[in-house]
Amino acid sequence: MFIEYLTNLLGNVYKVPGTIDPEKSFLDLKVDSLSLAELGAQLTDGLGIEVAEEDLSGTTTVAELAGLLESRGADIPA
């Protein structure tokens, strides 16, 4: 559920091209550090949980971030 939410967000908002493999890191997906900071802020605001800067790095995968969101009890907006 969170993987689908994140892949849609990355493709539609951050314009990551093609099919987004959740096992790839943000570095592999060519998401820069500014976009990662914006993503963290957007997730914090939109999901009501804290996503700290250290939670998102170039080596973090989409699947790892999805697991983090789930473990913190995030709710995907309708």
Side-chain angles (χ1 to χ4, degrees):
M1 183 154 70
F2 286 102
I3 288 177
E4 183 179 343
Y5 174 76
L6 290 170
T7 56
N8 286 333
L9 189 64
L10 290 169
N12 295 324
V13 176
Y14 295 93
K15 305 301 182 198
V16 174
T19 302
I20 298 170
D21 179 352
E23 297 303 320
K24 286 194 173 185
S25 71
F26 288 107
L27 185 63
D28 291 336
L29 295 171
K30 308 222 182 308
V31 178
D32 63 29
S33 59
L34 177 59
S35 294
L36 281 177
E38 291 173 354
L39 175 62
Q42 182 173 2
L43 292 172
T44 295
D45 292 344
L47 301 179
I49 59 153
E50 181 66 31
V51 179
E53 193 173 318
E54 55 270 6
D55 294 327
L56 285 173
S57 72
T59 59
T60 305
T61 67
V62 175
E64 289 170 341
L65 179 56
L68 176 79
L69 297 175
E70 186 173 348
S71 73
R72 293 190 178 164
D75 290 319
I76 296 175

